[in-house]
Amino acid sequence: MPGTIGGTGGEGAGGDAVPAAGGGGPTAVPGGLRRTLTFRDLIVYGLLFIAPMAPVGIFGTLQAKSHGAITLVYLVATVAMAFTAYSYAQMVRVAPQAGSVYTYARVGLGEGAGFVAGWMAMLDYLLIPAVAYLFSGIALHALVPSVHAWVWTALAVAVTTLLNLWGVRAAARVGFAVLAMEIVVLAVFVVSAVVELIAHGAPRGWAAPLTGEGGFAVGAVLAAVSVAVLSYLGFDAIASFAEEAAGPVATGEGGRGPGGPDRVARAVLTCLVVAGVLFAVQTYLAALLMPVSAAELAARPAEQGGAFYATVDAAVGGWLRDLVAVSKAVGAAFAALAGQAAAGRLLFAMARDRRLPGAMSKVDAGSGVPRRALLGAALVTLVAAVWAARRDDGLDQLSSVVNVGALTAFGLLHASVIGCFWIRRAGGAPSVLRHLVVPLLGLAVVAAVIVEAAGAAQAVGGAWLVVGLGVLAVQYRGRGRAGGLRG
């Protein structure tokens, strides 16, 4: 592929992965990752991390904040996140490596920016799985009160870690089964909702989820969009598997069809579109069935968290409410599985470039996964999740800080596209639309969401950034004595 940089770009252990001839089986040099993931596997990892019914937990908040126009909110949010997805698709073709945004910033902006991007993404990839594990633990504790939530949380971490250590394809197969279960539950909700609407009609106008209740309010919709975009965090994890996507590194290498990087790029874009459609459909139906108005919901903030479940209970019945709750509990644990796998690849890539301890750059010869990096990610996630599970306000504390890391990394991703194509000229001939306008629009979206983020999230993100800059300064000093850094 013209403009493709390296096979893996690694300097340390692991070496360069050898492209699979014809997109076949596990073909990496000893110590490298294996190219075994199909297009379907990549979609599974992305949708697992996002979760097909991600809007359930924030449905009430967004319905109240948008004055009833929640479906429009998700349509706008999908378009807003499309800029980020498109930038990922551009960079994965230039640098098809395991580090995702860490690698892209390193290629487009230099070593220092790459480290900062990886450092900020680390906050996201380590803590979002912790939130998912905790959610699963709380839900299972509600079903089996005799077992404490922290026990369920630790058990979920253990089971999914073992699956990740088993191998990337094995974890993808199990993940596919869980994802299929979540899609079936969502389909049951959709069919039940349609039957109810046909039989009894909608409590409000059919266009209300798109236009709002009592008049359209642009400011309210945009404020809700800044929250809704967080539902999509996770689709970017697909890019972390760039070195494990089946197919040659270069598109059409040897005349044998699409390359691994193209599969990853298509999977990122496809995952976002599929998630956007699923989110729009479920929020549209739930908004039509909701027994109270958006204004009433806004006046009762304590009821917003359970608004989706209350709507399903009132419109269809408790059996579907419980089915959705169980699906969310199981699905959350496997969303964490995908997140943990992505975190392991990020740690692996940074360790391979000697940005983290080199021990995490080793790939297990039997399973073909970065075992030590996965265990390191699992340990951090376990500590954070169990700590939060033992506190009454643990979920709120953890949830409030997980987003700024990902958003900062997204911002550096967009800057990397501009840097790579326009400044370093490393990605081939630049396009004004694809390599300037799109990333600038993406940067604007990211900046707006960070501004709207909670103060606690901004503070933790800022503190994490300061620590990362300190680590970077130490590394620069140490490497300067050894002969300097590149880039």
Side-chain angles (χ1 to χ4, degrees):
M1 178 187 299
T4 297
I5 296 175
T8 64
E11 300 174 358
D16 292 341
V18 177
T27 54
V29 298
L33 299 171
R34 299 174 179 175
R35 292 191 171 277
T36 59
L37 291 178
T38 64
F39 180 75
R40 189 194 77 172
D41 295 332
L42 294 168
I43 294 293
V44 166
Y45 271 112
L47 288 178
L48 267 182
F49 201 174
I50 292 175
M53 298 187 75
V56 167
I58 58 173
F59 170 79
T61 300
L62 294 181
Q63 180 73 345
K65 189 182 284 287
S66 67
H67 300 178
I70 186 171
T71 303
L72 177 63
V73 165
Y74 270 107
L75 292 176
V76 174
T78 302
V79 174
M81 291 308 295
F83 299 124
T84 296
Y86 194 77
S87 287
Y88 268 106
Q90 295 302 304
M91 291 305 295
V92 76
R93 292 186 172 102
V94 174
Q97 301 166 22
S100 185
V101 69
Y102 156 71
T103 298
Y104 308 151
R106 186 167 164 259
V107 168
L109 302 174
E111 293 277 358
F115 176 83
V116 171
W119 185 263
M120 296 306 293
M122 200 188 307
L123 183 66
D124 167 43
Y125 283 175
L126 292 175
L127 291 188
I128 284 186
V131 172
Y133 283 129
L134 178 57
F135 184 87
S136 182
I138 291 172
L140 291 170
H141 170 65
L143 295 173
V144 187
S146 58
V147 180
H148 198 283
W150 75 264
V151 176
W152 286 118
T153 300
L155 182 62
V157 175
V159 170
T160 52
T161 299
L162 287 173
L163 284 171
N164 272 326
L165 293 175
W166 188 9
V168 68
R169 284 302 307 280
R173 291 189 192 101
V174 177
F176 178 75
V178 174
L179 180 63
M181 177 271 295
E182 293 184 88
I183 296 294
V184 167
V185 172
L186 177 56
V188 171
F189 163 72
V190 169
V191 171
S192 301
V194 170
V195 170
E196 175 65 20
L197 289 168
I198 291 173
H200 302 104
R204 53 193 47 80
W206 293 96
L210 294 169
T211 61
E213 301 172 12
F216 180 72
V218 175
V221 169
L222 293 179
V225 167
S226 70
V227 178
V229 295
L230 303 178
S231 297
Y232 296 87
L233 294 184
F235 76 90
D236 54 296
I238 293 173
S240 299
F241 300 98
E243 288 181 39
E244 294 162 278
V249 173
T251 303
E253 186 176 297
R256 300 191 183 190
D262 272 352
R263 282 195 175 93
V264 176
R266 287 190 295 113
V268 169
L269 295 168
T270 302
C271 184
L272 178 69
V273 171
V274 171
V277 171
L278 294 178
F279 293 172
V281 169
Q282 65 192 269
T283 54
Y284 178 77
L285 294 172
L288 288 178
L289 291 171
M290 198 172 69
V292 299
S293 68
E296 290 175 293
L297 194 58
R300 307 171 191 168
E303 298 179 9
Q304 292 176 12
F308 191 96
Y309 295 105
T311 297
V312 171
D313 191 11
V316 181
W319 66 270
L320 183 55
R321 176 202 61 207
D322 293 341
L323 184 62
V324 171
V326 171
S327 172
K328 287 288 291 178
V330 175
F334 282 85
L337 174 142
Q340 184 193 88
R345 272 66 183 178
L346 174 62
L347 298 180
F348 161 78
M350 295 182 73
R352 185 174 58 188
D353 293 335
R354 294 176 291 178
R355 292 300 190 176
L356 292 176
M360 287 193 288
S361 68
K362 307 296 183 182
V363 175
D364 182 74
S367 62
V369 300
R371 178 181 295 271
R372 294 177 183 176
L374 282 169
L375 288 173
L379 179 61
V380 174
T381 301
L382 174 65
V383 171
V386 170
W387 169 82
R390 296 177 67 87
R391 295 173 57 95
D392 292 337
D393 62 345
L395 184 57
D396 290 339
Q397 290 284 338
L398 204 54
S399 299
S400 66
V401 301
V402 299
N403 302 319
V404 171
L407 294 169
T408 305
F410 287 171
L412 286 169
L413 164 72
H414 293 300
S416 299
V417 175
I418 297 172
C420 179
F421 286 90
W422 286 98
I423 299 174
R424 295 197 162 197
R425 303 283 177 165
S431 160
V432 172
L433 176 61
R434 291 181 291 136
H435 305 136
L436 185 62
V437 174
V438 169
L440 285 176
L441 289 172
L443 269 172
V445 171
V446 168
V449 177
I450 290 178
V451 169
E452 290 290 331
Q458 294 173 341
V460 172
W464 183 252
L465 175 60
V466 169
V467 172
L469 292 174
V471 173
L472 180 63
V474 171
Q475 292 186 354
Y476 264 102
R477 191 178 304 118
R479 291 192 177 193
R481 295 194 190 102
L485 281 171
R486 296 177 306 162

